[in-house]
Amino acid sequence: MLAAWDEVGTHPMADRGIGFVRGDLAEDDVLRRACVHRANSVLIDARDDNEALAVAVTVDHVAAGAHIVVALRDLGKEAHFRYVNAGIRCVQWHSPHMVTEEIQAPGITEVYAELMTHGGGNTYTLRLTEPSTFGDCQAAFGWRHSATVLAVRTADQLLISPLWKTALPVGTVLYYVGHRPITPGQLTAAMAAS
């Protein structure tokens, strides 16, 4: 269901089979006409951040328990939305891919933010000194170092979460999340012990 302000004169996505409601989006009855009270997820993309906050207050009241995602112009205003509901997820408005990911995988933007925050889950790289498979590397990183390999870069390409049977030649770069850097020697010892 798509809800928009009164000045949106015609349904902007009429060809997609999506319902359309117009009105003051900070009003309970308008959101109920848009069936927000039955929604699992609600995306708020308002004209400005103050308007988004007003809509978020009403959405939180009408759709208690729904996953609320707000596209913000200024992420510095995220704290205001936490006053309404600590579970509201705020995403930079000019990043539609992140908005989509947050709707589909609630909480993923918090994971990304933690990975990008100094002192959070740190990311590291390690170049393989002997051939292996992705699965052997993933098992060794996980069991011996409580780390997770996210991606690998071979001479030809970057692979995100490849199949565990993927062969990795010498020189492949591993990108991983962990508590500390792992040396090639530590990886070799961990793989021998597995």
Side-chain angles (χ1 to χ4, degrees):
M1 181 66 78
L2 175 65
W5 295 97
D6 283 329
E7 66 263 11
V8 179
T10 60
H11 190 326
M13 299 185 333
D15 61 332
R16 297 198 183 166
I18 297 172
F20 179 62
V21 171
R22 281 189 308 234
D24 183 343
L25 301 181
E27 292 294 328
D28 185 281
D29 65 316
V30 174
L31 295 182
R32 288 190 185 281
R33 279 191 298 123
C35 298
V36 168
H37 60 288
R38 296 193 320 235
N40 292 321
S41 297
V42 177
L43 170 60
I44 300 170
D45 186 7
R47 296 173 288 200
D48 63 53
D49 293 346
N50 293 326
E51 185 177 271
L53 183 59
V55 173
V57 168
T58 309
V59 167
D60 187 60
H61 171 72
V62 171
H67 177 57
I68 302 171
V69 178
V70 180
L72 288 180
R73 272 65 176 167
D74 177 6
L75 279 178
K77 294 187 177 182
E78 183 175 12
H80 300 261
F81 291 83
R82 299 280 185 249
Y83 296 142
V84 175
N85 179 332
I88 292 177
R89 299 288 180 229
C90 297
V91 181
Q92 193 73 50
W93 72 274
H94 61 72
S95 182
H97 181 72
M98 288 300 300
V99 170
T100 302
E101 282 198 47
E102 181 60 39
I103 288 286
Q104 294 174 347
I108 194 67
T109 54
E110 189 174 6
V111 172
Y112 289 146
E114 182 66 16
L115 288 173
M116 307 229 352
T117 302
H118 178 70
N122 289 323
T123 53
Y124 302 98
T125 62
L126 173 68
R127 190 173 299 275
L128 288 180
T129 57
E130 48 190 79
S132 187
T133 66
F134 180 73
D136 288 343
C137 291
Q138 190 69 281
F141 272 74
W143 285 110
R144 299 293 177 187
H145 298 285
S146 297
T148 303
V149 182
L150 302 172
V152 299
R153 182 178 300 281
T154 65
D156 302 326
Q157 61 187 334
L158 175 68
L159 302 169
I160 307 296
S161 189
L163 297 174
W164 278 44
K165 64 183 178 182
T166 302
L168 304 177
V170 170
T172 297
V173 176
L174 307 176
Y175 298 93
Y176 64 96
V177 177
H179 302 289
R180 63 189 169 285
I182 299 167
T183 67
Q186 288 173 315
L187 178 59
T188 300
M191 290 175 75
S194 294

